[in-house]
Amino acid sequence: MQNEYDVVVIGGGPAGLAAAIKSKELGLKVLLIENREFIGGIPIQCVHPGFGLHYFREDLTGTEFIYRLIEKFREMEIEHYTNAHVLEIIPHSYRHKILKVVTEKGLLNIMTKTVIYATGARERHIFEIGITGHRVAGIYTAGEAQTMMDIYGIMPGKEIVIVGSGDVGLIMARRFTLEGAHVKAVIELMPYPGGLTRNIVQCLEDFGIPLYLSHAVTRVEGRKRVEKVIITKVDENLRPIPGTEKELECDTVVLAAGLVPYLKVIEKAGVIIDPATKGPVVNSYLETSVPGIFVAGNALVINDLVDYVVEQGEEAAMGAYEFVKNEGLSTVKWKKLVKGRNIRLVVPHYVSEAKDVMIYARVAKPEENIKLRFPEIGKEMRLPFVKPSEMIRIKLRKRDIAKAEDKITMEVVPNE
Amino acid sequence: MSEIKKFKLTCIICPLGCPIEVTMEGDKIMRVTGHRCPRGYEYAVQEVTEPKRVIMSVVKVKGGIFPTVSVKTDKPVPKKLMPEIMKKLADVEVEAPVHVGQVIIENILGTEANIVATRPA
């Protein structure tokens, strides 16, 4: 069959590019499929710095970071389609999958031994976060606003209210202000900010932008265009408190209310989803519950840093390499990573003593002066603080994993 | 003897966001605590004397792959010059092709920082 590959990478963002580059380096026959007209993904529109401190040991903008990968990808002459969309992944046999792909050349059936799914995330939209009121012009997701402003040079509005204080919301607040718009407020549902502290400082405090914690935008009002929003205080159960409503006049509402792994195609292939990460359940090769389908980047788990996304792309490529070389991953005893006290999510879900594994976790609530503990393997470390907004990334060594029977618990305990 | 002042800062050099405390007596820095690396120390000293930031924006492009090209200052510039620099950038239009690292404006407002492209066009 002409269209037969060792690995097909779906998605041409940082995870996909890293996966494709690594796969080619390992000698695999690789194809990358991207549905936009250009490769690069979201960092193409991230003009702010803060990228690459771990991976390149330099402070780069998103654009500079991704162009380093794009250049490498081009130098290696990796086969790819842009403007192409994967409709379906059909598990054909244990060792083969068929991809139905719409391309500029028409509908293609592509046979591959493995798939690396790196489609990134989608933004949570207005219907998911309980905002009622008029459906008028002037409501954008942060990503849409960023595409308009930083790729096409169009200002989405003048008087802005931002919903959500994750890094995306904070960075957009600064971008709007720098470009001459007036950011009236950033509204955060939780009692603590969602983004990194450095972004609170350099994106809000630098410009005197107010941050309303424990508040929700409950209603948007306007006739043709947004004219105002109603914000309401919320109680400890995050429910709006009647009588605390306040009006903020604005012409634009920007939703930065979080990201969800984008899994449309992979779900149809039957992978099991973790309700905590909203991404697939994976083993330490980042292989999903469908053998030969791997996942990396924000499609796996919402990451803080593009550096982690790239790392996962490379990890998935190494998994695909093992799969192709051995006609399937060898059977090992999987040990479950169990979420203990104050751990909200952790990936991968299963580890084995066959290799060292990088684990990524998030806590449920902020806590100071704590110990991070893995009781079954006798590993612990002290940390000054943990926050839900800051991912914990640590390596578990195979000799440590070998100490556990059938599970390894990860927990946060007070440091006494 | 001049007054002792304490400044509580959050380091913005990297995503760790260390809480740093700077103790000053008049204009003299007496003590810096809480940083975990030399860059954090430098940041704290800079922040209490003359705060600086890297500025990022986009400028118009004629005939490029995208209608804009993203730019930044190649080193931090005084925070108070931000509005003036942004105003200058609003009037700039460059011709494609542009490559990453290309200098768009040299020595912006005498800061010794250049405005450089961070995306090709």
Side-chain angles (χ1 to χ4, degrees), chain A residues 371-384:
Chain A
K371 264 192 303 205
L372 193 60
R373 205 162 68 169
F374 299 87
E376 288 89 351
I377 58 174
K379 186 182 166 85
E380 61 176 47
M381 60 184 63
R382 275 182 208 172
L383 291 174

Side-chain angles (χ1 to χ4, degrees), chain A residues 321-382:
Chain A
Y321 172 73
E322 290 293 324
F323 190 98
V324 171
K325 193 177 67 175
N326 304 315
E327 303 208 318
L329 292 178
S330 31
T331 313
V332 292
K333 188 177 177 200
W334 293 112
K335 300 172 184 182
K336 193 173 169 37
L337 261 183
V338 176
K339 291 176 282 178
R341 184 183 173 280
N342 198 14
I343 297 292
R344 183 159 67 87
L345 58 89
V346 61
V347 289
H349 304 77
Y350 295 93
V351 297
S352 89
E353 56 201 72
K355 64 187 206 68
D356 294 349
V357 58
M358 196 62 84
I359 65 173
Y360 308 87
R362 253 181 230 287
V363 296
K365 57 178 202 302
E367 223 175 335
E368 276 179 33
N369 191 23
I370 55 97
K371 264 192 303 205
L372 193 60
R373 205 162 68 169
F374 299 87
E376 288 89 351
I377 58 174
K379 186 182 166 85
E380 61 176 47
M381 60 184 63
R382 275 182 208 172

Side-chain angles (χ1 to χ4, degrees), chain B residues 10 17 24 26 28 34 59 65-66 71 73 85 89-90 110:
Chain B
T10 303
M24 286 182 87
K28 232 174 89 194
V59 299
I65 42 173
F66 300 123
V71 297
T73 55
I85 291 175
L89 292 179

Side-chain angles (χ1 to χ4, degrees), chain A residues 38 44-50 53-54 59-64 67 71 149-154 174-175 178-179 196-199 201-202 205-207 305 384-385 387 390, chain B residues 9-19 36 39 43 47 53-58 65-72 79 82-83 86-87 90 100-101 116-120:
Chain A
F38 44 83
I44 294 262
Q45 61 190 50
C46 296
V47 307
H48 54 280
L53 282 161
H54 292 253
D59 190 1
L60 304 170
T61 64
T63 50
E64 291 171 314
Y67 270 96
E71 264 163 40
M149 214 172 4
D150 290 337
I151 290 187
Y152 296 104
I154 300 161
R174 173 175 62 183
R175 284 293 301 131
L178 282 174
E179 296 300 336
L196 300 173
T197 317
R198 71 195 287 242
N199 286 333
V201 175
Q202 62 183 351
E205 289 172 12
D206 269 9
F207 303 101
L305 300 177
F385 61 83
K387 294 179 193 173
E390 294 181 25
Chain B
L9 311 170
T10 303
C11 183
I12 61 170
I13 296 297
C14 87
L16 283 177
C18 296
R36 276 182 261 186
R39 291 168 71 206
Y43 166 77
E47 191 68 9
R53 297 287 184 268
V54 169
I55 299 181
M56 75 254 29
S57 184
V58 293
I65 42 173
F66 300 123
T68 67
V69 63
S70 56
V71 297
K72 68 172 184 183
K79 203 164 115 177
M82 262 198 251
M86 289 305 295
K87 253 194 201 127
V100 175
V116 295
T118 60
R119 185 169 69 202

